[in-house]
Amino acid sequence: MKQDIHPDYHFITVVMTDGTTYQTRSTYGETGQTMTLEIDPTSHPAWTGGHQKLLDTAGRVGKFNKKFNQFGFK
């Protein structure tokens, strides 16, 4: 491995949206710096099962058929 081509890998503190903190190693910032997250697994709908919009294809097809029925589409 070549010397002096890799970024510095050091400890930082991560602050999550609910205020909890943990230490991890990262190339972000400098040693001891704090990273504050705006979105994390405790607040993002993808992980919390939040509001998801399901596509209702049968309803869309029904609307299409009703709207264009006069043209003979089925």
Coordinates of all heavy atoms in Angstrom, one line a residue:
M1 N 0.8 -1.2 0.0 CA 0.0 0.0 0.0 C 0.9 1.2 0.0 O 1.9 1.3 0.7 CB -0.9 0.0 1.2 CG -1.9 1.1 1.3 SD -3.3 0.9 2.4 CE -2.6 0.5 3.9
K2 N 0.5 2.2 -0.8 CA 1.3 3.5 -0.9 C 1.1 4.3 0.3 O 0.0 4.4 0.9 CB 0.9 4.3 -2.1 CG 1.3 3.6 -3.4 CD 0.9 4.5 -4.6 CE 1.3 3.9 -5.9 NZ 0.9 4.8 -7.0
Q3 N 2.2 4.9 0.8 CA 2.1 5.8 1.9 C 1.6 7.2 1.6 O 1.8 7.7 0.4 CB 3.5 5.9 2.5 CG 4.1 4.6 3.0 CD 3.3 4.0 4.2 OE1 2.8 4.8 5.0 NE2 3.1 2.7 4.2
D4 N 0.9 7.9 2.5 CA 0.5 9.3 2.4 C -0.5 9.6 1.3 O -0.5 10.7 0.8 CB 1.7 10.2 2.3 CG 2.7 10.0 3.4 OD1 2.2 9.8 4.6 OD2 3.9 10.1 3.2
I5 N -1.2 8.6 0.8 CA -2.3 8.9 -0.2 C -3.7 8.7 0.4 O -4.6 9.0 -0.3 CB -2.1 8.0 -1.5 CG1 -2.3 6.5 -1.1 CG2 -0.8 8.3 -2.1 CD1 -2.4 5.7 -2.4
H6 N -3.8 8.1 1.6 CA -5.1 7.8 2.1 C -5.5 8.9 3.1 O -4.7 9.5 3.8 CB -5.1 6.5 2.9 CG -4.7 5.3 1.9 ND1 -5.7 4.8 1.1 CD2 -3.6 4.7 1.7 CE1 -5.1 3.9 0.4 NE2 -3.8 3.8 0.8
P7 N -6.8 9.3 3.2 CA -7.3 10.3 4.1 C -7.1 9.8 5.6 O -7.0 8.6 5.9 CB -8.7 10.5 3.8 CG -9.1 9.2 3.1 CD -7.9 8.7 2.4
D8 N -7.0 10.8 6.5 CA -6.8 10.5 7.9 C -8.1 9.9 8.4 O -9.2 10.4 8.2 CB -6.5 11.8 8.6 CG -6.3 11.6 10.1 OD1 -5.8 10.5 10.5 OD2 -6.7 12.5 10.9
Y9 N -8.0 8.8 9.1 CA -9.1 8.0 9.7 C -9.0 8.1 11.2 O -8.1 7.7 11.8 CB -8.9 6.6 9.2 CG -10.2 5.7 9.4 CD1 -11.4 6.0 8.8 CD2 -10.1 4.6 10.2 CE1 -12.5 5.2 8.9 CE2 -11.2 3.7 10.3 CZ -12.4 4.0 9.7 OH -13.5 3.2 9.8
H10 N -10.0 8.8 11.8 CA -10.0 9.2 13.2 C -11.3 9.1 13.8 O -12.3 8.9 13.2 CB -9.4 10.6 13.3 CG -10.1 11.6 12.4 ND1 -9.7 11.8 11.1 CD2 -11.3 12.3 12.6 CE1 -10.6 12.7 10.5 NE2 -11.5 13.0 11.4
F11 N -11.4 9.3 15.1 CA -12.6 9.3 15.9 C -13.4 10.6 15.8 O -12.8 11.7 16.0 CB -12.4 8.9 17.4 CG -12.1 7.5 17.6 CD1 -10.9 7.0 17.7 CD2 -13.2 6.6 17.6 CE1 -10.6 5.6 17.9 CE2 -13.0 5.2 17.8 CZ -11.7 4.7 18.0
I12 N -14.7 10.5 15.6 CA -15.6 11.7 15.6 C -16.8 11.3 16.5 O -17.0 10.1 16.8 CB -16.1 12.2 14.3 CG1 -16.9 11.1 13.6 CG2 -14.9 12.6 13.4 CD1 -17.7 11.6 12.4
T13 N -17.6 12.3 16.9 CA -18.8 12.1 17.7 C -20.0 12.4 16.7 O -20.0 13.4 16.1 CB -18.8 13.0 18.9 OG1 -17.7 12.7 19.7 CG2 -20.1 12.8 19.7
V14 N -20.9 11.5 16.7 CA -22.1 11.7 15.9 C -23.3 11.9 16.8 O -23.5 11.2 17.7 CB -22.4 10.4 15.0 CG1 -23.6 10.6 14.2 CG2 -21.2 10.1 14.1
V15 N -24.0 13.0 16.5 CA -25.2 13.4 17.3 C -26.4 13.1 16.4 O -26.6 13.7 15.3 CB -25.2 14.9 17.7 CG1 -26.5 15.2 18.5 CG2 -24.0 15.2 18.5
M16 N -27.3 12.2 16.9 CA -28.5 11.8 16.1 C -29.6 12.8 16.4 O -29.5 13.7 17.2 CB -28.9 10.4 16.4 CG -27.8 9.4 16.0 SD -28.1 7.7 16.3 CE -29.6 7.4 15.5
T17 N -30.7 12.8 15.6 CA -31.8 13.7 15.7 C -32.5 13.7 17.1 O -33.0 14.7 17.5 CB -32.9 13.5 14.7 OG1 -33.4 12.2 14.8 CG2 -32.3 13.8 13.3
D18 N -32.4 12.6 17.8 CA -33.1 12.5 19.1 C -32.1 12.9 20.2 O -32.5 12.9 21.4 CB -33.6 11.1 19.4 CG -32.6 10.0 19.4 OD1 -31.4 10.4 19.2 OD2 -32.9 8.9 19.7
G19 N -30.9 13.4 19.9 CA -30.0 13.8 20.9 C -28.9 12.8 21.4 O -28.0 13.1 22.1
T20 N -29.1 11.5 21.0 CA -28.2 10.5 21.4 C -26.9 10.7 20.6 O -26.9 11.2 19.5 CB -28.7 9.1 21.2 OG1 -29.1 8.9 19.8 CG2 -29.9 8.8 22.1
T21 N -25.8 10.3 21.2 CA -24.5 10.5 20.6 C -23.7 9.1 20.7 O -24.0 8.3 21.5 CB -23.6 11.5 21.3 OG1 -23.4 11.1 22.7 CG2 -24.3 12.9 21.3
Y22 N -22.8 9.0 19.7 CA -21.9 7.8 19.7 C -20.7 8.2 19.0 O -20.6 9.2 18.3 CB -22.6 6.6 19.1 CG -22.9 6.7 17.6 CD1 -22.0 6.3 16.7 CD2 -24.1 7.2 17.2 CE1 -22.2 6.4 15.3 CE2 -24.4 7.3 15.8 CZ -23.4 6.9 14.9 OH -23.7 7.0 13.6
Q23 N -19.6 7.5 19.3 CA -18.3 7.8 18.7 C -18.1 6.7 17.6 O -18.4 5.5 17.8 CB -17.2 7.8 19.7 CG -17.1 9.0 20.4 CD -15.7 9.2 21.1 OE1 -15.0 8.2 21.4 NE2 -15.3 10.4 21.3
T24 N -17.5 7.1 16.5 CA -17.2 6.2 15.4 C -15.9 6.7 14.7 O -15.5 7.9 14.9 CB -18.3 6.1 14.4 OG1 -18.0 5.1 13.5 CG2 -18.6 7.4 13.7
R25 N -15.3 5.9 13.9 CA -14.2 6.3 13.1 C -14.6 6.8 11.8 O -15.5 6.2 11.2 CB -13.2 5.2 13.0 CG -12.5 4.9 14.4 CD -11.5 3.8 14.2 NE -10.5 4.2 13.3 CZ -9.2 4.4 13.5 NH1 -8.8 4.2 14.7 NH2 -8.4 4.7 12.5
S26 N -14.0 7.9 11.3 CA -14.5 8.4 10.0 C -13.4 9.3 9.4 O -12.4 9.6 10.1 CB -15.7 9.3 10.2 OG -16.1 10.0 9.0
T27 N -13.5 9.6 8.1 CA -12.6 10.6 7.5 C -13.2 12.0 7.5 O -12.6 12.9 7.0 CB -12.4 10.2 6.0 OG1 -13.6 10.1 5.3 CG2 -11.7 8.8 6.0
Y28 N -14.4 12.2 8.1 CA -15.1 13.4 8.2 C -14.3 14.4 9.1 O -14.0 14.0 10.3 CB -16.5 13.2 8.7 CG -17.2 14.5 9.0 CD1 -17.8 15.3 8.0 CD2 -17.4 15.0 10.3 CE1 -18.5 16.4 8.3 CE2 -18.1 16.1 10.6 CZ -18.6 16.9 9.6 OH -19.3 18.0 9.9
G29 N -14.1 15.6 8.7 CA -13.5 16.6 9.6 C -12.2 16.3 10.2 O -11.3 15.7 9.5
E30 N -12.0 16.6 11.5 CA -10.8 16.4 12.2 C -11.1 15.6 13.5 O -12.2 15.4 13.8 CB -10.2 17.7 12.6 CG -9.8 18.6 11.4 CD -9.3 20.0 11.8 OE1 -9.2 20.2 13.1 OE2 -9.0 20.8 11.0
T31 N -10.0 15.1 14.1 CA -10.2 14.3 15.3 C -11.0 15.0 16.4 O -10.7 16.2 16.6 CB -8.8 13.9 15.9 OG1 -8.0 13.3 14.9 CG2 -8.9 13.1 17.1
G32 N -12.0 14.4 16.9 CA -12.8 15.0 18.0 C -14.0 15.9 17.5 O -14.7 16.3 18.3
Q33 N -14.1 16.0 16.2 CA -15.1 16.9 15.7 C -16.5 16.2 15.8 O -16.6 15.0 15.9 CB -14.9 17.2 14.2 CG -15.7 18.3 13.7 CD -15.2 18.9 12.3 OE1 -14.2 18.5 11.8 NE2 -16.0 19.8 11.8
T34 N -17.6 17.0 15.8 CA -18.9 16.5 16.0 C -19.7 16.6 14.7 O -19.7 17.7 14.1 CB -19.7 17.3 17.1 OG1 -18.9 17.1 18.3 CG2 -21.1 16.7 17.3
M35 N -20.4 15.6 14.3 CA -21.3 15.6 13.1 C -22.7 15.5 13.6 O -23.0 14.5 14.3 CB -21.0 14.4 12.2 CG -21.9 14.3 11.1 SD -21.8 12.7 10.1 CE -20.2 13.0 9.3
T36 N -23.5 16.5 13.3 CA -24.9 16.5 13.7 C -25.8 16.0 12.5 O -25.7 16.6 11.5 CB -25.4 17.9 14.2 OG1 -24.5 18.3 15.2 CG2 -26.8 17.8 14.7
L37 N -26.5 15.0 12.7 CA -27.4 14.4 11.6 C -28.7 15.1 11.6 O -29.3 15.4 12.6 CB -27.6 12.9 11.8 CG -26.3 12.1 11.9 CD1 -26.7 10.6 12.1 CD2 -25.5 12.2 10.6
E38 N -29.2 15.4 10.3 CA -30.5 15.9 10.1 C -31.5 14.8 9.9 O -32.7 15.0 10.3 CB -30.5 16.9 8.9 CG -29.6 18.1 9.1 CD -29.6 19.0 7.9 OE1 -30.4 18.7 7.0 OE2 -28.8 19.9 7.9
I39 N -31.1 13.7 9.3 CA -31.9 12.6 9.1 C -31.2 11.3 9.5 O -30.0 11.2 9.2 CB -32.3 12.4 7.6 CG1 -33.1 13.6 7.2 CG2 -33.1 11.2 7.4 CD1 -33.4 13.7 5.7
D40 N -31.8 10.5 10.3 CA -31.1 9.2 10.7 C -32.2 8.1 10.8 O -33.4 8.4 10.6 CB -30.4 9.4 12.1 CG -31.3 9.8 13.2 OD1 -32.5 9.6 13.2 OD2 -30.8 10.4 14.2
P41 N -31.8 6.9 11.1 CA -32.7 5.8 11.2 C -33.9 6.0 12.2 O -34.9 5.3 12.1 CB -31.9 4.6 11.5 CG -30.5 4.9 11.1 CD -30.4 6.4 11.3
T42 N -33.7 6.8 13.2 CA -34.8 7.0 14.2 C -35.9 8.0 13.7 O -36.9 8.1 14.3 CB -34.3 7.5 15.5 OG1 -33.6 8.8 15.3 CG2 -33.3 6.5 16.1
S43 N -35.6 8.8 12.6 CA -36.5 9.7 12.1 C -36.9 9.6 10.7 O -37.9 10.2 10.3 CB -35.9 11.2 12.3 OG -34.8 11.3 11.5
H44 N -36.2 8.8 9.9 CA -36.5 8.7 8.5 C -37.7 7.7 8.2 O -37.7 6.6 8.8 CB -35.3 8.3 7.7 CG -35.4 8.5 6.3 ND1 -36.1 7.6 5.4 CD2 -35.0 9.5 5.5 CE1 -36.0 8.0 4.2 NE2 -35.4 9.2 4.2
P45 N -38.7 8.1 7.4 CA -39.8 7.2 7.2 C -39.4 5.8 6.6 O -40.1 4.8 6.8 CB -40.7 7.9 6.2 CG -40.3 9.3 6.3 CD -38.8 9.3 6.8
A46 N -38.3 5.7 5.9 CA -37.9 4.4 5.3 C -37.6 3.4 6.4 O -37.8 2.2 6.2 CB -36.7 4.6 4.4
W47 N -37.2 3.8 7.6 CA -36.8 2.9 8.7 C -37.9 2.9 9.7 O -38.0 1.9 10.5 CB -35.5 3.3 9.3 CG -34.3 3.1 8.5 CD1 -33.8 1.8 8.2 CD2 -33.5 4.0 7.8 NE1 -32.7 2.0 7.4 CE2 -32.5 3.3 7.1 CE3 -33.5 5.4 7.8 CZ2 -31.5 3.9 6.4 CZ3 -32.5 6.0 7.0 CH2 -31.6 5.3 6.4
T48 N -38.7 3.9 9.8 CA -39.7 4.0 10.9 C -41.1 3.5 10.4 O -42.0 3.4 11.2 CB -39.9 5.4 11.4 OG1 -40.3 6.2 10.3 CG2 -38.6 5.9 12.0
G49 N -41.2 3.1 9.1 CA -42.5 2.7 8.6 C -43.5 3.8 8.5 O -44.7 3.6 8.7
G50 N -43.0 5.0 8.2 CA -43.9 6.2 8.1 C -44.8 6.1 7.0 O -45.0 5.1 6.4
H51 N -45.3 7.3 6.6 CA -46.3 7.4 5.6 C -45.8 7.0 4.2 O -44.9 7.7 3.7 CB -46.9 8.8 5.6 CG -47.3 9.3 6.9 ND1 -48.4 8.8 7.6 CD2 -46.8 10.2 7.8 CE1 -48.6 9.3 8.7 NE2 -47.6 10.2 8.9
Q52 N -46.3 5.9 3.7 CA -45.9 5.5 2.4 C -47.1 5.6 1.5 O -48.2 5.2 1.9 CB -45.3 4.1 2.4 CG -44.1 4.0 3.2 CD -43.6 2.5 3.2 OE1 -44.3 1.6 2.8 NE2 -42.4 2.3 3.8
K53 N -47.0 6.0 0.3 CA -48.1 6.1 -0.6 C -48.0 4.9 -1.6 O -47.0 4.8 -2.3 CB -48.0 7.4 -1.4 CG -49.1 7.7 -2.3 CD -49.0 9.0 -3.0 CE -50.2 9.3 -3.8 NZ -50.2 10.6 -4.5
L54 N -49.0 4.1 -1.5 CA -49.1 3.0 -2.4 C -49.8 3.3 -3.7 O -50.8 4.1 -3.7 CB -49.9 1.8 -1.7 CG -49.2 1.3 -0.4 CD1 -50.1 0.2 0.2 CD2 -47.8 0.7 -0.7
L55 N -49.3 2.8 -4.8 CA -49.9 3.1 -6.1 C -51.1 2.2 -6.3 O -51.0 0.9 -6.3 CB -48.9 2.9 -7.2 CG -49.3 3.2 -8.6 CD1 -49.7 4.7 -8.7 CD2 -48.2 2.9 -9.5
D56 N -52.3 2.7 -6.5 CA -53.5 2.0 -6.8 C -53.7 1.8 -8.3 O -54.4 2.7 -8.9 CB -54.7 2.6 -6.1 CG -56.0 1.9 -6.3 OD1 -55.9 0.7 -6.7 OD2 -57.0 2.5 -6.0
T57 N -53.1 0.8 -8.9 CA -53.2 0.7 -10.3 C -54.6 0.3 -10.8 O -55.0 0.8 -11.8 CB -52.2 -0.3 -10.9 OG1 -52.4 -1.6 -10.2 CG2 -50.8 0.1 -10.6
A58 N -55.3 -0.5 -10.0 CA -56.7 -0.8 -10.4 C -57.6 0.4 -10.4 O -58.4 0.6 -11.3 CB -57.2 -1.9 -9.5
G59 N -57.4 1.3 -9.5 CA -58.2 2.5 -9.4 C -57.8 3.4 -10.6 O -58.7 4.1 -11.2
R60 N -56.6 3.5 -11.0 CA -56.2 4.3 -12.1 C -56.7 3.8 -13.4 O -57.2 4.5 -14.3 CB -54.7 4.4 -12.2 CG -54.1 5.3 -11.1 CD -52.6 5.3 -11.2 NE -52.1 6.4 -10.4 CZ -51.2 7.3 -10.8 NH1 -50.6 7.2 -12.0 NH2 -50.8 8.2 -10.0
V61 N -56.7 2.5 -13.6 CA -57.3 1.8 -14.8 C -58.8 2.1 -14.8 O -59.3 2.4 -15.9 CB -57.0 0.3 -14.8 CG1 -57.7 -0.3 -16.0 CG2 -55.5 0.1 -14.9
G62 N -59.4 2.0 -13.7 CA -60.9 2.3 -13.7 C -61.2 3.7 -14.1 O -62.1 4.0 -14.8
K63 N -60.4 4.6 -13.6 CA -60.6 6.0 -13.9 C -60.4 6.3 -15.4 O -61.1 7.0 -16.1 CB -59.7 6.9 -13.1 CG -60.0 7.1 -11.7 CD -59.0 7.9 -10.9 CE -59.3 8.0 -9.4 NZ -58.3 8.8 -8.7
F64 N -59.3 5.6 -15.9 CA -59.0 5.8 -17.4 C -60.2 5.2 -18.2 O -60.7 5.9 -19.1 CB -57.8 5.0 -17.7 CG -57.4 5.0 -19.2 CD1 -56.8 6.1 -19.8 CD2 -57.8 3.9 -20.0 CE1 -56.5 6.1 -21.1 CE2 -57.5 4.0 -21.4 CZ -56.9 5.0 -21.9
N65 N -60.7 4.0 -17.8 CA -61.8 3.4 -18.6 C -63.0 4.3 -18.5 O -63.8 4.4 -19.5 CB -62.1 2.0 -18.1 CG -61.0 1.0 -18.5 OD1 -60.3 1.2 -19.4 ND2 -60.9 0.0 -17.7
K66 N -63.3 4.9 -17.4 CA -64.5 5.7 -17.2 C -64.4 7.0 -18.0 O -65.3 7.4 -18.7 CB -64.7 6.0 -15.7 CG -65.9 6.9 -15.4 CD -66.0 7.1 -13.9 CE -67.3 8.0 -13.7 NZ -67.4 8.3 -12.2
K67 N -63.2 7.6 -18.1 CA -63.0 8.8 -18.8 C -63.0 8.6 -20.3 O -63.5 9.5 -21.0 CB -61.6 9.4 -18.3 CG -61.3 10.8 -18.9 CD -60.0 11.3 -18.3 CE -59.7 12.7 -18.8 NZ -58.5 13.3 -18.3
F68 N -62.4 7.5 -20.8 CA -62.3 7.4 -22.2 C -63.2 6.3 -22.8 O -63.0 5.8 -23.9 CB -60.8 7.1 -22.6 CG -59.9 8.2 -22.3 CD1 -59.1 8.2 -21.2 CD2 -59.9 9.3 -23.1 CE1 -58.3 9.3 -20.9 CE2 -59.0 10.4 -22.9 CZ -58.2 10.4 -21.8
N69 N -64.2 5.9 -22.0 CA -65.2 4.9 -22.4 C -65.9 5.3 -23.7 O -66.2 4.4 -24.5 CB -66.2 4.6 -21.3 CG -67.0 3.3 -21.6 OD1 -66.5 2.4 -22.3 ND2 -68.2 3.3 -21.0
Q70 N -66.1 6.5 -23.9 CA -66.9 7.0 -25.1 C -66.1 6.7 -26.4 O -66.7 6.7 -27.5 CB -67.2 8.5 -25.0 CG -65.9 9.3 -24.9 CD -66.2 10.8 -24.6 OE1 -67.4 11.1 -24.2 NE2 -65.2 11.6 -24.6
F71 N -64.8 6.5 -26.3 CA -64.0 6.3 -27.5 C -63.9 4.8 -27.8 O -63.2 4.4 -28.8 CB -62.6 6.8 -27.3 CG -62.6 8.3 -27.1 CD1 -62.2 8.9 -25.9 CD2 -62.9 9.2 -28.2 CE1 -62.2 10.3 -25.8 CE2 -62.9 10.5 -28.0 CZ -62.6 11.1 -26.8
G72 N -64.4 3.9 -27.0 CA -64.4 2.5 -27.2 C -63.3 1.8 -26.6 O -63.0 0.6 -26.9
F73 N -62.5 2.4 -25.7 CA -61.4 1.7 -25.0 C -62.0 0.8 -23.9 O -62.9 1.2 -23.3 CB -60.4 2.7 -24.4 CG -59.7 3.6 -25.4 CD1 -59.7 4.9 -25.3 CD2 -58.9 3.0 -26.4 CE1 -59.1 5.7 -26.2 CE2 -58.2 3.7 -27.3 CZ -58.3 5.1 -27.2
K74 N -61.4 -0.3 -23.7 CA -61.8 -1.2 -22.7 C -60.7 -1.6 -21.8 O -59.6 -1.8 -22.1 CB -62.5 -2.4 -23.2 CG -63.8 -2.1 -23.9 CD -64.5 -3.3 -24.4 CE -65.8 -3.0 -25.1 NZ -66.5 -4.1 -25.5

